[in-house]
Amino acid sequence: MKNLGGNIKSLRNFMRKDPGVSGDGQRIEQLGWLLFLKILDASDRELELLKDDFVSVIPERLRWCNWAISEKGMTNGEKSLTGDELRIFIDQELFPTLRNLDTSTGNQRAVIVREIFEGTNNYMKNGTIIRQVLDSLNEIDFESSEDRHLFGDIYETILRELQTAGAYGEFYTPRALTEFMTEMVNPMLGETVLDPACGTGGFLTCAINHLRQQGIDEVRDLETLEKTIKGMEFKPLPFMLAVTNLFLHEIEVPNIEYIDSLNREYTSINEKCNS
């Protein structure tokens, strides 16, 4: 069995050596956007096999498999980016492009990527250390159901650490509580599940697991699940972590809005409820 926990521990130790990263909060944010891009790329490649017309919203050069891959995974003797070249690529090409991603087509995956990178920063300053982090991450295969399942437990541990990472504890609810509340509510397929302050997505993923235990096989059932699991979050870090959490739970397009659910007029809510 792979030691995925050891991989995560190694890359976080690498981050501690970088002069730009300070504290658990920044390390979790740094790990968050890296994981998001790697998991998104794995999801894109799966969809490319399943759907003839699927095109990734990430420009080809910026896809994880084209810039972050380890040198041993390269073909034709190509060299992987490292050092200053890698750092400059991330700061001057990757982040600016994803922050300004074209969303005019209404593609929700594009909207999610743009919103995440509008509120996210790269803190790492040492390109050689960034390469070590990438190589460690590349040991995890998110296209493997075994690796994805094992990593789900590790990701839960990472989210739990938000409780002690400065003021981020407000975004994590212990899983024993989310599982108990989900069991009591007992949502059924077709019912809308909404968490208007979803944090890192704990209640939503518990609802997904609960519904899958009822038996979901058909494509139509999966589409219903995707449409009816909804969340809202207005802080950048938990929004990114929640979206990644739903990708890990095999939700193709996480239905999470990057908004403040309380930032609306009460009269508009009443009018909608009474209509």
Side-chain angles (χ1 to χ4, degrees), residues 101-163:
L101 205 61
D102 180 18
T103 57
S104 61
T105 63
N107 187 308
Q108 190 58 31
R109 282 168 81 99
V111 172
I112 288 172
V113 172
R114 178 168 176 162
E115 289 176 339
I116 282 177
F117 281 88
E118 283 177 344
T120 303
N121 299 291
N122 172 47
Y123 295 108
M124 298 189 73
K125 304 301 180 186
N126 187 311
T128 301
I129 293 178
I130 297 175
R131 169 45 58 192
Q132 292 174 320
V133 170
L134 295 177
D135 287 348
S136 187
L137 264 181
N138 282 321
E139 295 295 321
I140 305 172
D141 180 10
F142 287 110
E143 293 181 64
S144 160
S145 58
E146 180 184 3
D147 273 18
R148 186 175 298 187
H149 176 74
L150 291 173
F151 185 79
D153 294 333
I154 297 171
Y155 193 72
E156 176 66 23
T157 301
I158 294 171
L159 297 182
R160 192 182 305 128
E161 292 176 4
L162 285 174
Q163 292 178 299

Side-chain angles (χ1 to χ4, degrees), residues 25-39:
Q26 286 190 356
R27 275 191 289 274
I28 291 173
E29 181 176 343
Q30 180 77 25
L31 180 58
W33 72 259
L34 289 169
L35 282 170
F36 170 76
L37 286 181
K38 181 168 173 58
I39 293 169

Side-chain angles (χ1 to χ4, degrees), residues 11-231:
L11 67 87
R12 295 175 74 177
N13 286 335
F14 291 141
M15 286 184 188
R16 290 187 174 93
K17 299 176 183 178
D18 191 283
V21 182
S22 176
D24 288 337
Q26 286 190 356
R27 275 191 289 274
I28 291 173
E29 181 176 343
Q30 180 77 25
L31 180 58
W33 72 259
L34 289 169
L35 282 170
F36 170 76
L37 286 181
K38 181 168 173 58
I39 293 169
L40 178 65
D41 189 61
S43 174
D44 282 350
R45 283 187 282 177
E46 288 180 356
L47 290 172
E48 285 173 338
L49 295 174
L50 296 172
K51 301 181 179 181
D52 293 336
D53 60 346
F54 178 82
V55 178
S56 174
V57 300
I58 305 291
E60 194 65 23
R61 172 169 162 74
L62 304 185
R63 292 182 64 176
W64 181 277
C65 58
N66 290 325
W67 68 269
I69 192 170
S70 303
E71 194 160 300
K72 63 182 180 181
M74 293 284 187
T75 58
N76 301 323
E78 297 176 353
K79 298 286 186 180
S80 58
L81 291 176
T82 189
D84 288 341
E85 184 182 12
L86 176 58
R87 177 185 56 79
I88 292 170
F89 168 80
I90 290 173
D91 290 339
Q92 298 184 15
E93 185 171 353
L94 180 68
F95 267 68
T97 303
L98 297 184
R99 282 173 176 161
N100 294 281
L101 205 61
D102 180 18
T103 57
S104 61
T105 63
N107 187 308
Q108 190 58 31
R109 282 168 81 99
V111 172
I112 288 172
V113 172
R114 178 168 176 162
E115 289 176 339
I116 282 177
F117 281 88
E118 283 177 344
T120 303
N121 299 291
N122 172 47
Y123 295 108
M124 298 189 73
K125 304 301 180 186
N126 187 311
T128 301
I129 293 178
I130 297 175
R131 169 45 58 192
Q132 292 174 320
V133 170
L134 295 177
D135 287 348
S136 187
L137 264 181
N138 282 321
E139 295 295 321
I140 305 172
D141 180 10
F142 287 110
E143 293 181 64
S144 160
S145 58
E146 180 184 3
D147 273 18
R148 186 175 298 187
H149 176 74
L150 291 173
F151 185 79
D153 294 333
I154 297 171
Y155 193 72
E156 176 66 23
T157 301
I158 294 171
L159 297 182
R160 192 182 305 128
E161 292 176 4
L162 285 174
Q163 292 178 299
T164 57
Y168 292 122
E170 64 187 286
F171 302 116
Y172 177 83
T173 304
R175 285 301 163 260
L177 178 57
T178 58
E179 290 173 356
F180 172 76
M181 292 183 67
T182 302
E183 184 178 345
M184 292 298 99
V185 174
N186 190 28
M188 306 298 289
L189 184 65
E191 294 179 334
T192 297
V193 177
L194 170 66
D195 187 344
C198 69
T200 57
F203 281 105
L204 300 180
T205 56
C206 280
I208 291 169
N209 291 335
H210 182 84
L211 290 167
R212 283 205 165 111
Q213 288 173 4
Q214 297 174 10
I216 296 177
D217 298 313
E218 298 181 3
V219 173
R220 185 172 56 187
D221 289 343
L222 294 172
E223 291 175 348
T224 300
L225 176 65
E226 187 172 287
K227 291 177 181 177
T228 54
I229 300 294
K230 301 181 179 182

